Amino acid sequence: MSQQSPLLFAIDRTSKTPIFEQICESIRRQAHSGRLKPGITVPATRTLAGELSVSRSTVVTAYEQLVAEGYLQGRRGAGYTLCAIGSVELPASKITAVPMESVPQLELKPLAPSEPDMRLFPYRQWAKAVARVCRTEPEAMLLCDETFGNLALRQAIAEHVREWRDIEASAEQIIVTAGASDALNICLRTLIATDQSVGIEDPGYQPITQLLKSQGIRPVWLDVDQDGARLPCSENQPTAVVITPSHQYPLGGVMSPQRRAAYINWANHQQGWIIEDDYDSEFRYGGRPIPALAGFDALHRTLYIGSFAKIFSNRLRLGYLIVPKSLIDPMRQTMDNFGLRAGLMPQQALAEFMRSGDFYRHLRRVRKRYNERRRFLVEQLKAGFSQFGTVQDYPAGMQLVFHLNNDLDDREVAQRAQQLGIGVETLSDSTARALHYNGLVLGFSGYSPEEMRESLSNLQQLLSR
Amino acid sequence: MSQQSPLLFAIDRTSKTPIFEQICESIRRQAHSGRLKPGITVPATRTLAGELSVSRSTVVTAYEQLVAEGYLQGRRGAGYTLCAIGSVELPASKITAVPMESVPQLELKPLAPSEPDMRLFPYRQWAKAVARVCRTEPEAMLLCDETFGNLALRQAIAEHVREWRDIEASAEQIIVTAGASDALNICLRTLIATDQSVGIEDPGYQPITQLLKSQGIRPVWLDVDQDGARLPCSENQPTAVVITPSHQYPLGGVMSPQRRAAYINWANHQQGWIIEDDYDSEFRYGGRPIPALAGFDALHRTLYIGSFAKIFSNRLRLGYLIVPKSLIDPMRQTMDNFGLRAGLMPQQALAEFMRSGDFYRHLRRVRKRYNERRRFLVEQLKAGFSQFGTVQDYPAGMQLVFHLNNDLDDREVAQRAQQLGIGVETLSDSTARALHYNGLVLGFSGYSPEEMRESLSNLQQLLSR
């Protein structure tokens, strides 16, 4: 125990009371009994987590709960101290159940793009799905002889994309991957020889550029206009293209039907492959949902990449790849050669979670919330930032772009914002060829209006200087 | 339901009876009631798994159980048919609990190296550890703000390597990775610039060669003699070496103390790095355990790679990397840049599993069993194969080498063995420079003596021809 706090904890792992609540209860009792004096510093979250051998998020949960209850003050990073409290006795066994939804987001960096708000996540329902697998099919967490991953999950994904993305695929065309980048890796390994090139969007998601370069694959840049990514120019034909037709990253537009048709023609003529990266398709807030290009093409020459990172956080490490029937055997070869990257443990539980409907209840709930947050951010930008630039608003996704006036430099702004703990990204950093783009990529999904308000106020001051 | 079998299944997911047992029970009842006639074919495992939306391993478990009980005959691949049974009534509610340990290994390929026997795995205890996390810290399955992974697991690993490998490391030096290859990848990304080279053993584990080449890193070959991997020759100095001092793969020897000292001298003189791949250190069957090189070097210029794949099967996708204190910051940089590959979900549960002692009880149990299997295989080879070559026996690991006489070609033998469903590998395929090695790599850990006996008898006939 650290010197500042003679705290005593008796954690009972067999108890039905969650550990974070046991920590809360322990601190409450010692505060009330007078063992702990006001002003005392409680152990750092990392220290206490280490001493109790619990995860740090458990301690953060407990401390944040006690802040909410008025026992502690302070915040993560700065440390927590005990507040002065009256000498009221706590009722003997009144442990208030805290809804799991109040678990705080860790390392909150307001306005950072693409972050799901994990405080809204239904941990209890997810834990129920996992516990059901523990009870009924424990071996499914470790054994699977399907090269492409758990069959029940692949069936659930097939239903999901049929309903949500207009893609007709059977489970045998679906590969469970360790996230979207693993899916792209599998595509590259299967389709691209070392001397071939791949078309990618510029501006675009730069980790894709890095992935290509690290494998010695030459990128062919695809400009982006109002219709979406442009076709590769005629003298420079890549073997495949990686595009984001539903929601261009980072600019945010939707690829026009004409351009989609042109891509499908291109693929058929060139015998090329379209890799559709549908990174945040679940979040569309108005109008009719735009079907996936893969559905339009009937999975003829299109491969479709989906991810669960936008719903479960990146730490689940699960995504999926849907391939044309003609590619099932070559994909199996790749998976056999390079090995499976996707962990098996969450797969059956995720199938249960989707099947039970809890997945969709959560999705509907956060979509509504993210849309409110998007509207709030757009209003704030229109009201208070019009002298600095213009907001580009599309009713989709988890972030939007604010184009800066020419007298402001996006990288400089972002760097100074980072120092204030604001996680904005820039268009300049999204272009591989240093194209002239100058704007901020602002995430809204991960933060409450109040949290955004504070950051926006700081950002406004920063821009005014 | 398939045409061959008018089987009816009522699966109750809320029941406490495991699903595989519900499938068994359903078939038993219909067999006894006469609804199912002897000789009828039951649905293929894949088909039934699809129809019931359960994992295929669950159906395989059920069918294998019914084979053991005499209700079904046949085997995976060939299909299962119902046996003729008497008209004895089953007692009304006598569901025999089947020990989870009877779960069959999927895709059994006898004598394939490095395979843990997942039939021996304590699924119930593992499920208990997972269920405990579901109950007490559900958020720990999805949230973690530690760049290097779950803290409780890193503490459990620190204890593990202190006790088992003589390595003194604190949790802050430990990175949870998505298996051993992810760990190696993190090392390469942190330590190696594109124009630098890395020393690797030849013969050695070929996926390492492929990983290097796919990243454009030049390999420097390290020959292997009786003392273990030799040092890089003087004109060709790599930045790092990847070596297997505890148990050379595939030859099986242990690096001598003199050679170990020479490597540590080399690293200090050249400012080079030693990456110690301790892939199957848990399985040592005699003599005193050989401490890790990383412990000997006090983690000064040695990085240590461990894996859980040999205990949990590869499908858990977890391993770990232990780094010198001087590399903590550079490693953090790499993890921030390239992202985390390790899934968070199993981490807290694995910490529980290690802490509860179930992990070690299992380890002791399989080690005993694997050692019996190793002895069996050595005896069989000495007794019946001496005219074909010589067995090289070390009391460690999960496979051994049988050196073939010159009139036999290991690749040809392995190819023909594969056709008989025997999973042997070859020394020829383990050498990157086509060195003259001629031998079979025979795994013993994954198979019972009876299973090996059958394969060995086939192998013997094949060699005699």
Side-chain angles (χ1 to χ4, degrees):
Chain A
M1 200 58 44
S2 85
Q3 285 201 321
Q4 307 103 312
S5 69
L7 268 167
L8 298 174
F9 289 95
I11 297 299
D12 177 3
R13 288 179 183 280
T14 62
S15 161
K16 291 209 162 170
T17 307
I19 288 173
F20 83 93
E21 182 51 38
Q22 294 187 41
I23 296 173
C24 289
E25 188 53 22
S26 191
I27 293 180
R28 284 191 208 107
R29 299 228 143 260
Q30 296 182 59
H32 281 282
S33 72
R35 255 190 60 82
L36 293 182
K37 304 286 171 243
I40 203 166
T41 304
V42 294
T45 52
R46 189 185 297 262
T47 313
L48 187 57
E51 285 169 359
L52 301 179
S53 284
V54 300
S55 78
R56 193 167 162 201
S57 57
T58 299
V59 179
V60 174
T61 308
Y63 283 6
E64 289 293 329
Q65 175 62 22
L66 292 169
V67 168
E69 292 176 6
Y71 284 88
L72 294 182
Q73 57 189 11
R75 54 185 181 76
R76 294 207 45 220
Y80 297 84
T81 56
L82 198 70
C83 304
I85 51 165
S87 60
V88 191
E89 273 297 312
L90 266 192
S93 64
K94 185 81 163 295
I95 291 178
T96 345
V98 182
M100 270 306 167
E101 285 72 7
S102 71
V103 173
Q105 173 123 9
L106 304 171
E107 301 285 4
L108 206 63
K109 265 205 146 182
L111 301 180
S114 304
E115 290 291 337
D117 189 343
M118 290 304 288
R119 293 170 296 193
L120 305 173
F121 191 82
Y123 294 96
R124 275 192 210 286
Q125 283 86 326
W126 170 243
K128 245 175 65 186
V130 178
R132 204 176 305 131
V133 176
C134 291
R135 217 168 44 235
T136 62
E137 302 187 73
E139 70 284 5
M141 292 190 289
L142 283 172
L143 290 185
C144 176
D145 62 352
E146 307 265 349
T147 307
F148 286 180
N150 180 289
L151 187 62
L153 177 57
R154 286 153 62 211
Q155 287 166 337
I157 293 170
E159 259 176 69
H160 176 75
V161 297
R162 183 175 306 124
E163 193 111 330
W164 286 63
R165 309 302 295 127
D166 262 334
I167 298 173
E168 281 293 332
S170 68
E172 62 174 350
Q173 293 173 273
I174 298 175
I175 305 169
V176 181
T177 67
S181 69
D182 183 41
L184 180 56
N185 227 324
I186 294 167
C187 293
L188 298 179
R189 288 193 198 280
T190 309
L191 304 174
I192 314 298
T194 39
D195 57 338
Q196 295 178 327
S197 61
V198 169
I200 56 175
E201 301 175 345
D202 187 19
Y205 187 63
Q206 288 313 299
I208 296 182
T209 314
Q210 284 169 25
L211 182 66
L212 253 59
K213 289 190 170 165
S214 78
Q215 304 207 357
I217 296 169
R218 193 163 39 87
V220 167
W221 307 110
L222 308 174
D223 291 317
V224 180
D225 63 21
Q226 307 93 297
D227 287 330
R230 296 176 66 174
L231 291 166
C233 44
S234 55
E235 72 273 22
N236 212 349
Q237 287 301 331
T239 311
V241 294
V242 184
I243 53 177
T244 56
S246 302
H247 191 219
Q248 207 278 334
Y249 190 91
L251 298 176
V254 174
M255 187 177 280
S256 69
Q258 294 76 14
R259 187 62 58 80
R260 285 166 191 248
Y263 264 105
I264 292 175
N265 276 338
W266 169 84
N268 284 322
H269 266 95
Q270 297 283 338
Q271 296 293 296
W273 298 102
I274 301 169
I275 301 168
E276 176 174 20
D277 179 5
D278 214 14
Y279 63 101
D280 66 3
S281 63
E282 291 85 358
F283 302 112
R284 185 155 297 284
Y285 310 116
R288 78 191 167 79
I290 294 144
L293 180 57
F296 195 39
D297 174 50
L299 283 169
H300 177 55
R301 299 202 68 86
T302 307
L303 297 84
Y304 178 92
I305 294 177
S307 161
F308 292 105
K310 304 295 186 239
I311 295 164
F312 278 92
S313 98
N314 203 18
R315 305 302 299 256
L316 193 70
R317 304 300 307 148
L318 278 190
Y320 51 96
L321 171 63
I322 310 182
V323 303
K325 288 208 167 118
S326 63
L327 289 179
I328 292 176
D329 284 338
M331 287 288 168
R332 196 176 296 275
Q333 194 70 47
T334 303
M335 303 298 285
D336 286 344
N337 285 347
F338 287 93
L340 308 148
R341 299 282 150 93
L344 191 63
M345 186 173 162
Q347 296 187 21
Q348 181 82 11
L350 180 51
E352 293 271 346
F353 192 60
M354 294 174 81
R355 211 150 45 186
S356 73
D358 283 330
F359 179 89
Y360 296 100
R361 271 185 287 280
H362 170 57
L363 202 48
R364 277 194 296 274
R365 209 158 61 98
V366 288
R367 194 168 39 199
K368 186 158 166 281
R369 199 71 80 87
Y370 291 176
N371 193 24
E372 290 161 11
R373 293 175 177 186
R374 186 191 120 256
R375 287 218 200 95
F376 174 83
L377 180 57
V378 170
E379 277 161 25
Q380 293 285 312
L381 291 172
K382 285 192 172 155
F385 286 75
S386 55
Q387 68 271 41
F388 308 120
T390 51
V391 55
Q392 194 168 30
D393 179 26
Y394 296 98
M398 306 167 87
Q399 60 275 324
L400 51 77
V401 167
F402 185 75
H403 291 277
L404 288 174
N405 293 339
N406 277 335
D407 57 333
L408 291 161
D409 178 78
D410 59 357
R411 280 196 173 119
E412 201 185 309
V413 173
Q415 204 168 19
R416 283 162 59 200
Q418 291 282 357
Q419 288 160 4
L420 300 172
I422 305 173
V424 290
E425 296 186 2
T426 69
L427 288 187
S428 292
D429 286 328
S430 306
T431 164
R433 290 170 300 169
L435 297 177
H436 185 65
Y437 282 95
N438 184 30
L440 302 176
V441 185
L442 303 165
F444 51 78
S445 50
Y447 325 99
S448 69
E450 298 67 44
E451 286 158 353
M452 286 194 274
R453 196 192 303 278
E454 195 191 327
S455 296
L456 286 169
S457 145
N458 287 333
L459 191 60
Q460 200 173 27
Q461 284 178 31
L462 189 161
L463 286 165
S464 304
R465 260 182 268 147
Chain B
M1 199 57 46
S2 85
Q3 285 201 319
Q4 309 103 311
S5 70
L7 268 167
L8 298 174
F9 289 96
I11 297 301
D12 176 5
R13 287 178 183 282
T14 64
S15 160
K16 291 209 163 172
T17 307
I19 287 174
F20 85 90
E21 182 52 37
Q22 294 186 41
I23 296 172
C24 289
E25 187 55 20
S26 192
I27 293 179
R28 284 189 208 108
R29 298 227 146 262
Q30 295 181 59
H32 281 280
S33 73
R35 255 189 62 80
L36 293 182
K37 305 285 171 244
I40 203 166
T41 304
V42 295
T45 53
R46 190 185 295 262
T47 312
L48 186 59
E51 285 169 359
L52 302 179
S53 284
V54 300
S55 77
R56 191 165 163 203
S57 56
T58 300
V59 180
V60 174
T61 308
Y63 284 5
E64 288 293 330
Q65 176 61 25
L66 291 170
V67 168
E69 292 176 4
Y71 285 87
L72 294 182
Q73 58 190 11
R75 55 185 180 77
R76 293 206 48 219
Y80 296 84
T81 55
L82 198 70
C83 305
I85 51 165
S87 59
V88 192
E89 273 296 310
L90 265 192
S93 64
K94 186 80 163 295
I95 291 178
T96 345
V98 181
M100 272 305 167
E101 284 71 6
S102 71
V103 174
Q105 173 123 8
L106 304 172
E107 302 286 3
L108 206 64
K109 265 203 146 180
L111 302 179
S114 304
E115 291 292 336
D117 189 341
M118 291 304 288
R119 293 170 293 193
L120 304 174
F121 191 81
Y123 294 95
R124 277 193 207 286
Q125 283 88 328
W126 170 242
K128 247 175 66 186
V130 179
R132 204 178 303 133
V133 176
C134 291
R135 214 165 48 234
T136 61
E137 302 186 73
E139 70 283 4
M141 290 189 289
L142 283 172
L143 291 183
C144 175
D145 62 351
E146 308 264 352
T147 307
F148 286 0
N150 180 288
L151 187 61
L153 177 56
R154 287 154 61 212
Q155 288 167 335
I157 292 169
E159 257 177 68
H160 177 75
V161 296
R162 183 175 306 123
E163 193 113 327
W164 286 64
R165 309 300 296 129
D166 262 334
I167 298 173
E168 280 294 333
S170 68
E172 61 173 351
Q173 294 173 269
I174 297 175
I175 304 170
V176 182
T177 67
S181 69
D182 183 42
L184 181 55
N185 227 326
I186 293 168
C187 294
L188 298 179
R189 288 192 196 283
T190 309
L191 305 174
I192 314 297
T194 40
D195 57 338
Q196 295 179 329
S197 61
V198 169
I200 55 176
E201 302 175 344
D202 187 20
Y205 187 61
Q206 289 313 300
I208 296 182
T209 314
Q210 284 169 23
L211 182 66
L212 253 60
K213 290 192 171 167
S214 78
Q215 305 207 359
I217 297 170
R218 192 162 40 87
V220 167
W221 306 112
L222 308 173
D223 291 315
V224 179
D225 63 21
Q226 307 93 297
D227 286 331
R230 298 175 65 172
L231 291 167
C233 46
S234 55
E235 73 272 22
N236 210 350
Q237 285 301 331
T239 311
V241 294
V242 184
I243 52 179
T244 56
S246 302
H247 191 218
Q248 207 279 334
Y249 189 89
L251 298 176
V254 174
M255 188 179 280
S256 69
Q258 294 76 13
R259 187 62 58 79
R260 287 166 188 248
Y263 262 106
I264 292 175
N265 276 339
W266 168 85
N268 284 323
H269 263 96
Q270 297 283 338
Q271 296 294 294
W273 298 102
I274 301 168
I275 301 169
E276 177 175 17
D277 179 4
D278 214 14
Y279 62 101
D280 66 0
S281 63
E282 291 84 359
F283 302 111
R284 186 155 294 286
Y285 310 114
R288 78 189 169 80
I290 294 145
L293 181 58
F296 194 41
D297 174 51
L299 281 169
H300 177 55
R301 298 203 67 86
T302 306
L303 298 84
Y304 178 90
I305 294 177
S307 161
F308 293 104
K310 304 294 186 240
I311 296 164
F312 277 91
S313 97
N314 205 18
R315 306 302 298 256
L316 194 72
R317 302 301 306 151
L318 278 188
Y320 52 96
L321 170 63
I322 310 183
V323 304
K325 287 208 166 115
S326 63
L327 289 179
I328 292 175
D329 284 338
M331 286 288 168
R332 197 176 297 276
Q333 194 68 46
T334 303
M335 301 299 284
D336 286 344
N337 286 348
F338 288 93
L340 308 149
R341 301 282 152 92
L344 191 62
M345 186 172 162
Q347 296 186 22
Q348 183 82 11
L350 180 51
E352 292 271 347
F353 191 61
M354 293 174 83
R355 213 149 46 187
S356 73
D358 283 330
F359 179 89
Y360 296 99
R361 270 184 289 278
H362 170 57
L363 202 48
R364 276 194 296 275
R365 211 160 59 99
V366 287
R367 194 168 37 200
K368 186 158 166 280
R369 198 74 76 91
Y370 290 176
N371 192 25
E372 291 161 8
R373 293 174 176 186
R374 187 190 119 255
R375 287 218 200 96
F376 175 83
L377 180 57
V378 171
E379 278 162 25
Q380 293 287 310
L381 290 173
K382 285 191 175 158
F385 287 74
S386 55
Q387 67 271 42
F388 309 118
T390 51
V391 54
Q392 194 168 32
D393 178 28
Y394 296 98
M398 305 167 89
Q399 61 275 324
L400 51 77
V401 167
F402 184 77
H403 292 276
L404 289 175
N405 293 341
N406 277 336
D407 56 333
L408 292 160
D409 178 77
D410 58 359
R411 281 193 173 121
E412 202 186 307
V413 172
Q415 206 168 14
R416 285 161 59 199
Q418 292 281 358
Q419 289 161 2
L420 299 174
I422 305 172
V424 291
E425 295 184 2
T426 69
L427 288 186
S428 291
D429 287 327
S430 307
T431 165
R433 291 171 298 170
L435 297 177
H436 184 67
Y437 282 96
N438 184 31
L440 302 176
V441 186
L442 303 165
F444 51 77
S445 51
Y447 324 98
S448 68
E450 296 68 44
E451 286 158 352
M452 288 194 274
R453 195 192 304 276
E454 196 190 326
S455 296
L456 286 170
S457 145
N458 287 333
L459 191 61
Q460 201 174 27
Q461 283 178 29
L462 189 159
L463 286 165
S464 303
R465 262 182 269 148

